Amino acid sequence: MATWQFKLELVPRAWVEATTNSVDALYDSEGYDTSVAWEQFSPSIEVEPLIEAIFPKGASWHADLHTWGDEERSDIQIWYKNGSFESIAVRLDLREKYESLLSKVADLASKLDCVVFIPESK
């Protein structure tokens, strides 16, 4: 991730409520991993069409990774494992006007019933 990119993750609201906001469960000795939040919870609506309304579909370097947008600028990435969500990550290019994009990401989070998790702020 470039220094001008700001990263956030979407985490299911139901997981946050079930763990009473215990974000410590997302961290281990190597950093953070939001897949634990997605193990029991998944969106009840189609996610990819919602993301395609924000960014065009991109090429991926791995079969389990789906990407939209531009990796060098702003993008959204979904990791899957055995067809289930592992993470939904968003990177915002802070060199450009990002307010409109941030609003779209907030709308996406709302539609998916997710909250925003900022890994660096714990």
Side-chain angles (χ1 to χ4, degrees):
M1 183 172 78
T3 58
W4 57 83
Q5 288 177 315
F6 178 77
K7 186 171 186 177
L8 57 94
E9 301 261 346
L10 300 185
V11 177
R13 180 182 311 280
W15 179 84
V16 172
E17 291 171 354
T19 60
T20 59
N21 274 340
S22 179
V23 295
D24 290 336
L26 300 176
Y27 291 90
D28 60 22
S29 61
E30 296 179 20
Y32 72 94
D33 179 7
T34 60
S35 66
V36 65
W38 291 100
E39 288 175 353
Q40 302 290 324
F41 305 98
S42 61
S44 60
I45 61 174
E46 288 291 319
V47 175
E48 295 195 8
L50 296 174
I51 297 172
E52 288 170 7
I54 301 171
F55 288 124
K57 183 91 167 143
S60 175
W61 56 271
H62 194 282
D64 293 336
L65 175 65
H66 295 213
T67 65
W68 295 264
D70 181 350
E71 183 178 343
E72 298 299 319
R73 294 183 163 307
S74 296
D75 69 345
I76 298 177
Q77 300 178 349
I78 297 179
W79 275 100
Y80 292 95
K81 183 174 184 178
N82 300 323
S84 297
F85 284 91
E86 280 211 315
S87 69
I88 300 178
V90 179
R91 289 187 293 199
L92 302 172
D93 185 340
L94 300 182
R95 299 172 301 173
E96 300 176 359
K97 292 185 179 185
Y98 58 87
E99 292 84 1
S100 174
L101 178 56
L102 191 55
S103 177
K104 291 176 184 177
V105 170
D107 187 49
L108 174 67
S110 177
K111 288 177 180 174
L112 298 177
D113 198 25
C114 288
V115 298
V116 173
F117 166 65
I118 303 171
E120 285 76 22
S121 70
K122 225 175 182 187

